[in-house]
Amino acid sequence: MNITYSDRIPNNVGLAENRTLQRALEHWQPEFLNWWAEMGPDGSGALDIYLRTAVSVEKGGWAHFDYVKMPDYRWGIFLNPGDPDRKVNFGVHKGEPAWQSVPGEYRSTLRRIIVTQGDTEPASVEQQRHLGQTCPSLYDLRNLYQVNVEEGRHLWAMVYLLHAYFGRDGREESEALLERRSGDRDNPRILGAFNEKTPDWLAFFMFTFFTDRDGKFQLSALAESAFDPLARTTRFMLTEEAHHMFVGESGVGRVVARTAEVMAREKTDDPEKLRSLGVIDLPTLQRYLNFHYSVTLDLFGADVSSNAATFYSTGLKGRYGEAKIDDDHVLEGREHYVLESENGKLVTRSVPMLNALNERLRDDYIADTIAGVGRWNKTIARAGARFELVVPHKAFNRQIGPLAVLRVDPRGGVMSESAWMARQDEWLPTKTDRAYVASLMGRVIEPGKFANWIAPPARGINNVPADFQYVRFV
Ligand SMILES: [Fe+2]
Ligand SMILES: [Fe+2]
């Protein structure tokens, strides 16, 4: 179905044919815009930004680029095309037709899953709202805003499901999604990583590399859902998520490239010397990496989880790449390994695979992450510098699950609390690191100019040059 842009709410779900739903969403729309005005990108309302907007969900043709003021962005509801013959492909309902409505017995569980996903979307906009003031270039400013408007659209995607399939409860949850605030003591966002600050652009690039990648894996698992509207919604969200990860990977990659270039030129790896030259030394970058990685690993939930087993068995949430996995897709009687501590050491323990599906998704995520970090290391080597960024052990700095009670160093060694505390400044960003990175943050808004600590991108967005006027200040 085509997207109707003449409607107040652009959509490809035939909203005009469902007046009740349309009215409910038109009632939520101004509340969303109020939230955007209050919590969205700081001081951005009048800017003309070169943004892409979804115009079709068909492959290859969905993106349209033009100057837009963000409050006028056409946030809408887009589902991937449906397959009328789609079958549930895992769990106890395997082989049955995919659901076009929510089975009563799964209603509250499914609602919780959608709300938890939905809550991350406005949270990241809130976390990033001040970054526009310190952008390293117009190109980066535009990318930040693109990520922000699409996270706003992801919120719309989840709110549509809540309104369309969960009645009054869904409407109430949709209001609450606009009321929680990232980092608020009384009414915080649901998940820990989404209450952390994103104080500087290095943190932003790390966040989009690590935490938006968690989004990719969660959305991929939901894209398998037996509840067809959720599967179709999340499939379309994944096309947007890919850009967010690109912003993170290329962003950190450009920081790495710039530092490595200076290291090679000056023949030094001395952090103090590099700081005096205005670039981010790689040990500091490693500490940022350790922080964002460990905080994001917690988002996958407890290592052993009966909820994860229920979500899978009932068909609500599959595995990453479910269709490509060669097994029975029911997983009864199968085993998987998780880590736990025994006499001060990490040991593996076998548990029913159904209970270990959070861990399984986490492991898929880890493999994807390691590949990305490997690409940064290639950049360092190519510049002629010597340093290797390393993904820490998965038990390092965890706050959720059985590993949270342990103190583990980045290489996987279990330590005493006091020994760990004494060394944490080697592993996690210190106040001094953060103050140094903050000191580099200035506002660069001349087309084609880039802050000293970051290399220009290899190419511009949508094949326009890197020195394009990506944002107009009118
Ligand atoms: Fe998102
Ligand atoms: Fe995202």
Side-chain angles (χ1 to χ4, degrees):
M1 190 179 284
N2 287 328
I3 294 175
T4 37
Y5 267 98
S6 51
D7 291 2
R8 248 168 76 183
I9 301 170
N11 69 92
N12 70 346
V13 294
L15 204 53
E17 282 109 65
N18 187 340
R19 300 293 296 167
T20 315
L21 177 59
Q22 188 178 32
R23 264 198 303 275
L25 285 165
E26 284 178 357
H27 180 76
W28 187 82
Q29 189 175 36
E31 295 172 15
F32 168 83
L33 289 170
N34 286 342
W35 165 82
W36 182 268
E38 188 197 327
M39 294 309 296
D42 203 5
S44 65
L47 309 181
D48 270 329
I49 306 149
Y50 187 68
L51 292 176
R52 68 173 184 183
T53 305
V55 288
S56 148
V57 294
E58 305 305 329
K59 258 197 182 133
W62 73 273
H64 170 75
F65 284 81
D66 205 353
Y67 286 100
V68 182
K69 288 187 179 38
M70 283 194 286
D72 303 331
Y73 186 78
R74 303 306 313 272
W75 284 285
I77 301 158
F78 313 118
L79 270 59
N80 262 21
D83 168 6
D85 301 322
R86 179 168 176 250
K87 301 270 190 291
V88 181
N89 65 343
F90 62 93
V92 297
H93 299 290
K94 194 180 130 191
E96 297 171 18
W99 315 329
Q100 299 308 325
S101 58
V102 182
E105 66 268 40
Y106 304 145
R107 195 180 164 87
S108 64
T109 313
L110 197 51
R111 191 184 67 214
R112 192 71 196 155
I113 290 174
I114 293 169
V115 166
T116 305
Q117 176 61 43
D119 193 65
T120 67
E121 316 292 357
S124 60
V125 175
E126 292 167 359
Q127 287 168 295
Q128 295 161 14
R129 69 180 304 251
H130 298 300
L131 292 171
Q133 308 295 349
T134 56
C135 60
S137 74
L138 279 188
Y139 166 89
D140 290 292
L141 184 62
R142 177 260 164 223
N143 284 351
L144 166 72
Y145 291 154
Q146 184 72 58
V147 170
N148 292 160
V149 291
E150 287 176 356
E151 299 303 5
R153 209 204 63 74
H154 290 176
L155 173 60
W156 270 93
M158 294 298 111
V159 162
Y160 163 70
L161 295 176
L162 290 169
H163 274 254
Y165 298 95
F166 295 89
R168 189 203 178 114
D169 297 349
R171 290 193 294 279
E172 284 172 5
E173 293 283 12
S174 301
E175 312 266 316
L177 283 167
L178 297 176
E179 285 159 9
R180 285 185 287 274
R181 291 286 181 270
S182 176
D184 191 284
R185 203 199 307 201
D186 300 321
N187 195 14
R189 292 295 171 184
I190 295 169
L191 299 170
F194 292 90
N195 288 303
E196 298 283 349
K197 285 197 165 68
T198 310
D200 57 63
W201 279 76
L202 183 58
F204 170 65
F205 292 137
M206 290 286 176
F207 185 96
T208 41
F209 179 84
F210 287 105
T211 309
D212 283 82
R213 190 176 309 274
D214 161 68
K216 166 186 164 181
F217 281 83
Q218 301 297 342
L219 293 173
S220 297
L222 295 176
E224 304 288 345
S225 182
F227 179 46
D228 201 44
L230 176 61
R232 290 169 56 199
T233 301
T234 45
R235 285 215 176 113
F236 188 67
M237 291 163 76
L238 279 164
T239 61
E240 296 168 316
E241 207 62 59
H243 178 66
H244 307 175
M245 288 183 297
F246 158 80
V247 169
E249 179 164 338
S250 62
V252 176
R254 288 160 52 215
V255 178
V256 164
R258 177 73 180 122
T259 302
E261 173 203 327
V262 174
M263 285 170 75
R265 190 187 68 212
E266 303 289 327
K267 298 192 173 40
T268 184
D269 56 7
D270 176 17
E272 287 312 313
K273 178 86 201 289
L274 291 163
R275 286 186 179 193
S276 76
L277 295 164
V279 295
I280 300 175
D281 54 289
L282 297 180
T284 295
L285 208 130
Q286 175 71 60
R287 288 189 284 276
Y288 267 69
L289 183 162
N290 292 349
F291 173 76
H292 285 272
Y293 177 72
S294 56
V295 165
T296 304
L297 286 190
D298 277 335
L299 289 173
F300 291 86
D303 312 31
V304 177
S305 161
S306 57
N307 274 344
T310 306
F311 294 173
Y312 186 83
S313 290
T314 54
L316 304 183
K317 182 178 176 184
R319 288 172 294 176
Y320 177 67
E322 184 70 44
K324 288 183 211 134
I325 301 173
D326 183 19
D327 61 20
D328 69 359
H329 304 277
V330 181
L331 309 182
E332 288 289 351
R334 288 175 178 258
E335 308 256 291
H336 192 73
Y337 291 98
V338 294
L339 284 177
E340 58 177 31
S341 81
E342 201 179 271
N343 305 325
K345 275 201 175 126
L346 285 171
V347 293
T348 53
R349 176 165 76 99
S350 176
V351 296
M353 189 184 275
L354 280 170
N355 292 86
L357 288 173
N358 286 342
E359 193 65 5
R360 161 97 199 215
L361 196 60
R362 184 164 21 239
D363 287 340
D364 287 334
Y365 168 86
I366 289 172
D368 205 46
T369 300
I370 289 173
V373 173
R375 291 189 285 275
W376 295 336
N377 282 328
K378 284 210 180 90
T379 302
I380 298 173
R382 232 182 288 126
R386 284 169 62 169
F387 191 91
E388 198 168 345
L389 294 164
V390 187
V391 169
H393 192 278
K394 73 170 162 183
F396 170 72
N397 196 37
R398 294 287 301 282
Q399 314 290 330
I400 282 182
L403 302 176
V405 299
L406 299 177
R407 286 303 194 177
V408 179
D409 72 27
R411 308 179 81 169
V414 180
M415 311 174 73
S416 71
E417 173 79 14
S418 58
W420 195 93
M421 293 304 277
R423 293 192 61 190
Q424 67 165 325
D425 284 0
E426 293 169 40
W427 303 324
L428 292 169
T430 62
K431 272 199 180 124
T432 319
D433 292 341
R434 292 203 184 272
Y436 172 66
V437 174
S439 78
L440 296 176
M441 299 294 123
R443 194 163 194 238
V444 180
I445 53 171
E446 198 182 317
K449 283 264 186 309
F450 290 82
N452 180 62
W453 53 270
I454 189 166
R459 61 190 67 83
I461 288 294
N462 192 35
N463 294 321
V464 301
D467 63 358
F468 183 73
Q469 182 88 44
Y470 286 102
V471 180
R472 288 193 202 133
F473 300 82
V474 274

